[in-house]
Amino acid sequence: MRSLLFVPGDSDKKQAKALACGADVLILDLEDSVAPARKPAAREMTRTWITTAKVQTKRPMLYVRMNALTTPYWQDDLSGVMPAAPDGIMLPKPRSGADVELLAMHLAALEQTFGIAEGTTRILPIATEVPLSVLQMPSYVGASPRLSALTWGAEDLATEIGASTNRRSDGTFTSPFQLARDLTLFTACAAGVPPLDTVFVNFRDAAGLRREAEAAARDGFTGKLAIHPDQVPVINAAFTPSADDIARARAIKKLFDDNPGSGALSMDGQMIDIPHLKQAERLLARAF
Ligand code: COA
Ligand code: MG
């Protein structure tokens, strides 16, 4: 899950374009990019499109972003798209891990109704869109075995707290949003799922996107949301371990293999110990 591209659920033009753009995950959106009057059409188009896309042999993972549990739409969203058995559901604006548990219960019932293997529909929450959730981040740890990753949002959170902007003039996030980002990283790691960075909305600014994606990768995020196909290759590059990174990880692994029972070793004048070995193993698991 390096790149996750949002595709409006009611746009057949964008859906047609999405499959071949190289994204690891497509998120068919029924929420903010679909106007209220278009929700029923979007559910139907999304279901039909996923059903067709799922039979392709080499395809991205297919997720659906439902509407929040506080809206009148979410139950129709789920019953509308679950017959297509999407790989996962993105949950916007959860208030805490209890909302993940509630969604998991509904998914279990729908899986039974539509003959889908129980527990196979994953859940990806956008954990920081409402202030209450930011205050309850530990509740996501262990909330459900369906949890596939954790990501965060800065746009709805800005509206919720009354912030006139979420970025400084140099493009970096202001303090409240930096906190939301960092808490997502810690929470995802505590939950044992991949941390995913939020969208970069200025989709014509490839250099700004690259900077932000590389900073996220440096800090431990393993992927990033996208809103435009042009963002996908930039994100994939930032979250794919480089040849140098892979070579170094292999060398660390070999050093420990050659010195069984050692805790701390030296390589190129630097101390290498067990945390470095674990990090190298994690990187090699992500390399493909
Ligand atoms: N998925 C698939 N295809 C997309 C796409 C997306 N998210 N965004 C743009 N495209 C397609 C366009 O349809 C266009 O196709 P064409 O070459 O066949 O005409 C091509 O990519 C180039 O698009 P462009 O003209 O540069 O952008 P646009 O003005 O058409 O669209 C947005 C700009 C922001 C409206 C569009 O990128 C979008 O809808 N993004 C997703 C929005 C969303 O889901 N938001 C919710 C999550 S925050
Ligand atoms: Mg939103």
Side-chain angles (χ1 to χ4, degrees), residues 5 17 21 203-204 206 209 226-235:
L5 176 66
K17 187 127 189 155
C21 79
F203 61 87
R204 304 273 183 235
L209 171 65
I227 51 164
H228 190 286
D230 289 355
Q231 294 187 316
V232 169
V234 178
I235 292 175

Side-chain angles (χ1 to χ4, degrees), residues 5-21 23 25-29 41-56 59-64 80-81 84-87:
L5 176 66
F6 280 109
V7 185
D10 65 340
S11 168
D12 39 21
K13 189 168 157 239
K14 287 172 188 162
Q15 288 169 8
K17 187 127 189 155
L19 264 185
C21 79
V25 184
L26 298 177
I27 306 168
L28 279 287
D29 187 28
R43 289 176 195 124
E44 186 151 342
M45 288 172 71
T46 296
R47 181 184 63 237
T48 309
W49 187 80
I50 290 182
T51 305
T52 311
K54 270 201 84 167
V55 300
Q56 304 217 0
R59 62 163 178 91
M61 272 185 281
L62 303 169
Y63 272 58
V64 174
V81 300
D87 297 304

Side-chain angles (χ1 to χ4, degrees), residues 31-32 65 93 129 156:
E31 200 213 13
D32 290 345
R65 180 165 73 170
K93 304 177 180 70
E129 291 193 302
D156 289 277

